[in-house]
Amino acid sequence: MAKVWINGKLFDKADARVSVYDHGFLYGDGIFEGIRVYAGKVFKLREHLDRLYDSARHIFLEIPIGREQLAEAVVATVRADGQRKEGYIRLVVSRGAGTLGLDPRKTTEPQVIIIVDDIALYPPELYEQGLEIVTASTIRNHSNALNPRIKSLNYLNNILAKIEAIRAGCLEAIMLNANGEVAECTADNIFLVKRGVLRTPPLHAGILEGITRDTVLDLARAAGIETQEISLTRHDVYAADEVFLTGTGAEVIGAVKVDGRVIGTGKPGSLTRQMRERYQQYVRQ
Ligand code: PMP
């Protein structure tokens, strides 16, 4: 049974509640993290907490609990969920319940929430076949509007692009930045392979610094594969030998058709398969 921790108290999924006056609900005023549990261990908890506290600093949100305490609470919530060995943790910090106005000063204590549940982002067969994706007309939030480095509760930008993907019969969409460069997908970072070199957009393209992205870059470098964080255009994607997406939920998944163009052989390529295997091994070691 999924468990939910709210400000120090543990609830069953069905009993976990927050106020309808919570500014996370009313305005998307808050931040979150999505974290996986592999073989009973919380994967890269430190890195996720670092990103959470960095997001909090950017939006002037004081998390009312220290990093160590929060780490312990995450582990305790996983343990509370029976014999769970695999799963997904959603860590949410909202501004808290307030008045019907934007003013963040008029809220009570931030709500710190830890949900431990399951996740399956894509059907298993798509990891073998690869995804078909499209480029969304909705661009990624401009860094000077709502910086994509903040993992904020306001995901409407991504959801609009996701709706475009779904309407095009796809499950993911590439989002460009205001310069027309490739940024990322709606909930994943994007990589491509060209002549054996692994390329991904740099942070200044206006992307979330994905923890899976960082892990894949580290694993590739350790394996002697050349990596580049470099501005990419749609042309680079169409002309790539391989394309794959990375994310906590998605892990590593190939994309084999982009805007109707077949990528490489039309099947997940050898480096994509290799990175997926290396990632699967690494997360369970
Ligand atoms: N970009 C966006 C917009 C995301 O929502 C996610 C998922 N958190 C990612 C990239 C991948 O990040 P991570 O590898 O840390 O899950």
Side-chain angles (χ1 to χ4, degrees):
M1 170 64 134
K3 291 285 176 193
V4 184
W5 183 101
I6 305 177
N7 287 357
K9 289 204 190 97
L10 205 55
F11 299 90
D12 284 334
K13 182 176 178 170
D15 303 323
R17 307 237 184 292
V18 289
S19 166
V20 294
Y21 287 87
D22 193 295
H23 280 204
F25 174 69
L26 289 175
Y27 302 118
D29 187 354
I31 51 176
F32 77 101
E33 281 297 319
I35 313 171
R36 277 220 191 227
V37 181
Y38 290 108
K41 269 186 16 205
V42 181
F43 182 66
K44 300 246 173 184
L45 180 54
R46 294 285 135 207
E47 287 79 353
H48 282 284
L49 290 177
D50 283 348
R51 191 169 68 183
L52 183 80
Y53 280 82
D54 288 348
S55 292
R57 185 176 291 261
H58 193 137
I59 71 161
F60 295 92
L61 177 63
E62 190 134 354
I63 300 179
I65 163 172
R67 218 174 270 235
E68 288 310 311
Q69 271 176 297
L70 188 51
E72 281 166 22
V74 167
V75 171
T77 310
V78 173
R79 298 246 161 85
D81 190 7
Q83 296 300 305
R84 181 178 285 282
K85 290 278 175 273
E86 306 272 312
Y88 181 82
I89 302 162
R90 174 58 55 91
L91 191 48
V92 181
V93 186
S94 74
R95 190 80 67 178
T99 52
L100 295 176
L102 290 179
D103 194 339
R105 293 169 306 179
K106 296 184 179 157
T107 53
T108 58
E109 276 271 288
Q111 299 292 294
V112 183
I113 298 163
I114 305 165
I115 302 169
V116 178
D117 209 331
D118 299 309
I119 194 167
L121 225 53
Y122 303 118
E125 61 273 17
L126 287 182
Y127 287 87
E128 291 305 316
Q129 294 162 14
L131 291 173
E132 176 171 355
I133 61 177
V134 286
T135 306
S137 65
T138 305
I139 63 166
R140 190 73 176 98
N141 281 329
H142 192 286
S143 296
N144 290 333
L146 177 55
N147 196 315
R149 298 278 301 271
I150 306 168
K151 200 161 170 55
S152 96
L153 289 184
N154 189 330
Y155 250 53
L156 208 40
N157 178 225
N158 314 63
I159 291 165
L160 285 174
K162 179 86 173 177
I163 291 169
E164 287 189 51
I166 293 165
R167 291 177 66 87
C170 297
L171 292 176
E172 254 304 349
I174 294 176
M175 300 184 76
L176 307 175
N177 64 21
N179 298 326
E181 298 157 344
V182 172
E184 58 183 337
C185 290
T186 70
D188 302 321
N189 291 111
I190 186 164
F191 283 77
L192 60 82
V193 177
K194 188 69 175 176
R195 295 187 200 96
V197 178
L198 206 52
R199 294 189 172 137
T200 196
L203 297 183
H204 63 75
I207 61 170
L208 182 76
E209 184 175 7
I211 286 159
T212 320
R213 172 185 181 276
D214 285 347
T215 307
V216 165
L217 284 172
D218 287 346
L219 290 173
R221 286 170 191 144
I225 297 162
E226 189 184 340
T227 63
Q228 292 177 342
E229 293 176 65
I230 189 170
S231 292
L232 298 170
T233 64
R234 284 196 297 157
H235 180 82
D236 295 312
V237 178
Y238 299 153
D241 299 324
E242 302 180 32
V243 174
F244 64 84
L245 316 182
T246 65
T248 296
E251 301 178 304
V252 177
I253 187 164
V256 293
K257 212 178 207 192
V258 182
D259 298 330
R261 280 83 165 175
V262 173
I263 305 299
T265 60
K267 291 229 162 10
S270 64
L271 215 57
T272 301
R273 287 205 306 274
Q274 188 192 137
M275 292 321 299
R276 177 163 173 75
E277 274 157 32
R278 285 184 192 279
Y279 186 76
Q280 290 298 341
Q281 243 167 38
Y282 177 75
V283 298
R284 292 196 168 79
Q285 79 185 4

